[in-house]
Amino acid sequence: MAKAAGNNGVNLMRLLQERALSKKGKEEERQPQNVLEQKQQQDTDTVVPYLPKDCVSNILVRLPIESLIPKSMLVSVLYEGQPNHPAPILPFGGLTFNRTLKFSIQFIEFKEGNSRLAKYKISCLGKIRASYNGLLLMDSAMKRGGLMVVNPITRKWIYLPVGSLVPPHAESYGFAYSDVTGDYKVVHLFRDELGYMNCEILNVGAKYWKEVNGPAFGLFGWLGYIPVSAIRALHWIPQIDHCDYLVSLELGNEKFHKVPLPKSCRTHDMILEMGTFLSFVAHEELDIDIWILKGVHDEAWTKHHRIRTIGCVLHMVPILSLKIGEDMIFTREEDGSLHAYDFKQGLMRKVQGQIPPTSFPHINSLIWWEKALDVCD
């Protein structure tokens, strides 16, 4: 009996000791956690909540382009030649590609009155056909008439099915996004052997091109001008000189329209996207007028600004409107020099560097052609 009582006392003492040690251990483990909780409570205003990677990616894709990397630029394709040999810029027109040749995508960036020529760390096998939202429509050169869409920042690409094969001088490509259908669309406008204009459209990701009614006969005299995407449509200047209208394709209903210009378009006049609107930059003696169009239907052109040129700065061809900073970039035909016009200060200043031929307005982005999945909903 005494032995049993003794054993019970020892067991009780051991149990109390184990409980004490366990309580002490828990308090020691909990103390740093309490300190961390107090620190987190104090920094509530500065701590960023955790988000899954797929949710972050989805948010980035939905952000406006300007909030990601707000730098407007021009892109072109450069042939990487042998050392000690010049590397000529690829001209617009037909080329016979050799799969062993190496090409790189170069860009010229404008910032604070200066320009910078650089290259993306990505190779390609063909020339650029169009640019939109940070995506490039390019020749794939893997098969005749093949095209691809590539984002030079994310290095994602997709090959497109081959459309109608026509001579390069008889075709024009446009590339834009339709907020009506939610698709990126490639527009192929081409002239057939009888002189009629035909059009086929491919929704990026689809397997087949869709034939649509082309513009009326006689509207197009030349297909050399690169189409401009603005106000939910693609716009072409259809004549080399003395043109009084544009040919516009609405992306939503895929119908062509003849849109009158405020004045006759001459050789050095151009259309550009300016903000979210379409601008027509026209020479008026020694001055340059900038007109704005806000819609394809029942809209009138309004004169936005007049640039008073100083001296003999003639034949200034507009090539790019910077969304950030509101500058407009011109190139002088006589010597290829670059000039930037500051709307806020009303000044035209020379910019170092030269623009390569067949360049396209471009802006870096993380955009991709696939429709965003609602992973955060």
Side-chain angles (χ1 to χ4, degrees):
M1 190 75 173
K3 183 177 180 180
N7 290 336
N8 290 336
V10 171
N11 292 336
L12 179 60
M13 180 62 67
R14 184 179 299 168
L15 181 61
L16 291 176
Q17 289 177 347
E18 290 175 355
R19 288 184 177 179
L21 290 174
S22 176
K23 183 177 180 181
K24 181 179 181 181
K26 289 181 179 181
E27 289 178 353
E28 290 177 351
E29 293 176 358
R30 183 171 177 78
Q31 185 174 359
Q33 184 68 23
N34 289 336
V35 173
L36 178 60
E37 291 175 354
Q38 293 176 2
K39 178 65 175 177
Q40 290 179 340
Q41 184 66 30
Q42 293 173 357
D43 297 339
T44 301
D45 295 335
T46 59
V47 173
V48 178
Y50 170 77
L51 291 174
K53 291 183 179 180
D54 53 355
C55 189
V56 173
S57 300
N58 189 269
I59 292 173
L60 290 175
V61 169
R62 294 168 184 264
L63 288 175
I65 296 174
E66 292 82 359
S67 66
L68 295 174
I69 309 177
K71 298 177 181 179
S72 296
M73 59 187 67
L74 294 163
V75 290
S76 183
V77 175
L78 180 71
Y79 166 57
E80 298 291 346
Q82 298 293 330
N84 304 323
H85 287 77
I89 302 298
L90 293 181
F92 188 89
L95 293 173
T96 301
F97 293 105
N98 185 332
R99 295 185 183 183
T100 62
L101 295 180
K102 181 182 179 182
F103 300 84
S104 65
I105 304 174
Q106 65 175 1
F107 63 88
I108 180 170
E109 178 186 346
F110 300 94
K111 184 178 181 181
E112 298 177 356
N114 297 311
S115 67
R116 180 177 69 95
L117 183 63
K119 301 176 186 177
Y120 291 110
K121 295 181 179 180
I122 182 174
S123 299
C124 61
L125 296 175
K127 63 178 178 286
I128 301 173
R129 294 285 190 161
S131 173
Y132 187 78
N133 266 13
L135 301 178
L136 300 178
L137 176 67
M138 307 187 66
D139 289 321
S140 70
M142 301 305 295
K143 61 177 63 176
R144 186 187 175 198
L147 296 170
M148 62 187 297
V149 173
V150 59
N151 186 322
I153 296 296
T154 63
R155 302 187 184 184
K156 293 185 65 175
W157 73 87
I158 178 175
Y159 290 107
L160 305 182
V162 177
S164 299
L165 299 179
V166 295
H169 68 272
E171 66 180 351
S172 175
Y173 280 97
F175 182 43
Y177 175 78
S178 172
D179 57 2
V180 176
T181 64
D183 295 301
Y184 280 91
K185 296 188 177 186
V186 178
V187 177
H188 186 205
L189 190 64
F190 59 96
R191 193 191 312 272
D192 63 20
E193 296 178 352
L194 298 177
Y196 288 93
M197 297 302 300
N198 297 270
C199 182
E200 57 187 4
I201 297 177
L202 176 73
N203 292 343
V204 178
K207 295 182 179 179
Y208 305 101
W209 291 81
K210 177 177 63 176
E211 184 178 352
V212 301
N213 292 328
F217 181 80
L219 287 182
F220 270 90
W222 191 53
L223 287 168
Y225 285 121
I226 298 171
V228 174
S229 174
I231 53 176
R232 299 181 175 181
L234 282 168
H235 311 271
W236 285 263
I237 299 177
Q239 307 290 342
I240 296 178
D241 198 7
H242 294 287
C243 186
D244 299 323
Y245 60 90
L246 302 176
V247 176
S248 302
L249 170 65
E250 285 189 90
L251 295 170
N253 58 24
E254 299 178 345
K255 293 183 178 181
F256 284 91
H257 301 276
K258 179 181 178 181
V259 179
L261 287 168
K263 65 181 297 293
S264 181
C265 179
R266 303 297 299 271
T267 305
H268 302 101
D269 302 337
M270 291 293 170
I271 54 174
L272 300 172
E273 181 191 9
M274 189 173 180
T276 58
F277 305 127
L278 180 67
S279 67
F280 173 51
V281 186
H283 292 70
E284 188 67 37
E285 296 182 351
L286 296 180
D287 297 328
I288 300 175
D289 290 337
I290 299 176
W291 298 80
I292 295 294
L293 185 67
K294 297 183 178 180
V296 175
H297 296 288
D298 302 323
E299 293 283 349
W301 291 89
T302 58
K303 186 180 291 187
H304 173 71
H305 194 82
R306 167 164 281 192
I307 298 176
R308 301 284 186 179
T309 58
I310 301 176
C312 298
V313 184
L314 302 177
H315 301 160
M316 302 285 286
V317 182
I319 56 174
L320 177 65
S321 176
L322 302 184
K323 297 180 180 180
I324 305 300
E326 300 181 0
D327 284 0
M328 184 171 286
I329 307 298
F330 294 81
T331 181
R332 189 166 180 248
E333 186 186 56
E334 286 80 358
D335 56 8
S337 59
L338 291 173
H339 299 261
Y341 181 77
D342 189 326
F343 284 92
K344 295 180 179 180
Q345 299 183 16
L347 297 175
M348 181 82 76
R349 63 185 184 278
K350 188 174 182 179
V351 179
Q352 296 298 320
Q354 287 189 331
I355 173 180
T358 317
S359 298
F360 298 80
H362 181 72
I363 186 167
N364 288 334
S365 78
L366 301 178
I367 294 294
W368 189 230
W369 62 269
E370 295 171 318
K371 295 180 181 179
L373 299 176
D374 296 328
V375 297
C376 292
D377 294 345

